[in-house]
């Protein structure tokens, strides 16, 4: 992460923006790497609004490319594997309106894994243009919340301290639950 941060800081702004967008595309295609780290780097390198716009552009372009690639490579495979599951088939064969609202709703939640939303939309019957609109509209407020939280934590404001405290508290609870569920030897 430090390498990417120093790379973005040393490159001329147009090249740094390009590198950030390419990294965002790669993160979207991989589907399992959280983009929050890149958002933090973008806020550090480009400031609050610059980081927001660069992150938004990268996430939108990345999700569209990932959708297209997933659809080309996985749709037939998933259709074949889920023929015996009516619930999964119902989810995959939603109308464009239902799919639009589902993707928009999931995108509005800042920390829902973007790759999972893109994957399910791409293997379903949702059109590319419907996905593009729903995904892009949903990313705007979710990314703004993510950029705001990252900025507040980096500036160490009272809000940032509360966010950090809640995050630590949540991690402690999660760890405690995991320890309690682990069977003893």
């Amino acid at each position: 992460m430090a390498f990417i941060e120093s790379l973005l800081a040393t490159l001329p702004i147009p090249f740094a923006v390009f590198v950030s967008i390419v990294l965002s595309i790669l993160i979207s295609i991989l589907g399992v790497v959280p983009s929050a780290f890149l958002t933090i780097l973008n806020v550090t390198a480009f400031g609050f609004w610059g980081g927001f716009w660069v992150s938004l552009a990268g996430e939108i372009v990345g999700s569209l490319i990932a959708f297209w690639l997933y659809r080309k490579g996985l749709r037939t495979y998933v259709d074949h594997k889920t023929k015996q599951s009516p619930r999964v088939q119902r989810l995959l064969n939603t109308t464009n309106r239902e799919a639009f609202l589902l993707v928009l709703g999931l995108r509005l939640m800042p920390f829902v894994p973007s790759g999972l939303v893109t994957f399910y939309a791409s293997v379903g019957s949702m059109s590319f243009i419907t996905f593009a609109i729903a995904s892009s509209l949903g990313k705007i407020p979710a990314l703004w919340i993510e950029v705001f939280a990252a900025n507040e934590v980096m500036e160490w404001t009272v809000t940032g301290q509360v966010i950090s405290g809640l995050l630590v508290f949540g991690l402690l609870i999660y760890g405690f639950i995991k320890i309690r569920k682990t069977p003893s030897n």
Side-chain angles (χ1 to χ4, degrees), residues 1-92:
M1 193 155 127
F3 169 73
I4 296 170
E5 183 177 0
S6 65
L7 178 66
L8 292 178
T10 57
L11 288 173
I13 289 179
F15 293 117
V17 168
F18 177 76
V19 167
S20 177
I21 289 173
V22 167
L23 288 172
S24 192
I25 291 168
L26 291 173
I27 288 170
S28 294
I29 291 169
L30 291 174
V32 294
V33 179
S35 64
F37 300 110
L38 186 56
T39 301
I40 292 168
L41 292 176
N42 286 339
V43 171
T44 302
F46 307 114
F48 182 90
W49 286 109
F52 170 77
W53 289 112
V54 170
S55 295
L56 183 64
E59 288 204 21
I60 288 172
V61 171
S63 69
L64 297 178
I65 291 172
F67 179 92
W68 182 78
L69 288 172
Y70 293 171
R71 175 147 294 173
K72 291 290 181 195
L74 300 171
R75 190 171 187 184
T76 305
Y77 175 78
V78 170
D79 276 346
H80 176 72
K81 290 292 184 184
T82 61
K83 281 190 192 272
Q84 302 303 321
S85 179
R87 286 188 206 156
V88 174
Q89 283 296 312
R90 166 75 175 106
L91 178 64
L92 295 179

Side-chain angles (χ1 to χ4, degrees), residues 156-174:
W156 203 241
T157 64
V158 172
T159 306
Q161 293 169 13
V162 169
I163 291 169
S164 297
L166 289 172
L167 182 62
V168 168
F169 183 70
L171 289 172
L172 287 172
I173 298 244
Y174 175 77

Side-chain angles (χ1 to χ4, degrees), residues 40-148:
I40 292 168
L41 292 176
N42 286 339
V43 171
T44 302
F46 307 114
F48 182 90
W49 286 109
F52 170 77
W53 289 112
V54 170
S55 295
L56 183 64
E59 288 204 21
I60 288 172
V61 171
S63 69
L64 297 178
I65 291 172
F67 179 92
W68 182 78
L69 288 172
Y70 293 171
R71 175 147 294 173
K72 291 290 181 195
L74 300 171
R75 190 171 187 184
T76 305
Y77 175 78
V78 170
D79 276 346
H80 176 72
K81 290 292 184 184
T82 61
K83 281 190 192 272
Q84 302 303 321
S85 179
R87 286 188 206 156
V88 174
Q89 283 296 312
R90 166 75 175 106
L91 178 64
L92 295 179
N93 294 316
T94 59
T95 66
N96 261 345
R97 182 175 185 273
E98 290 171 324
F100 177 89
L101 294 173
L102 184 62
V103 168
L104 180 64
L106 290 171
R107 288 287 195 235
L108 287 171
M109 295 181 238
F111 299 103
V112 168
S114 187
L116 197 58
V117 175
T118 302
F119 172 76
Y120 277 113
S122 69
V123 297
S125 59
M126 181 179 214
S127 72
F128 181 82
I129 194 73
T130 302
F131 173 79
I133 294 168
S135 182
S136 300
L137 287 175
K139 280 187 176 289
I140 294 169
L143 191 60
W144 188 87
I145 291 168
E146 193 175 301
V147 168
F148 176 78

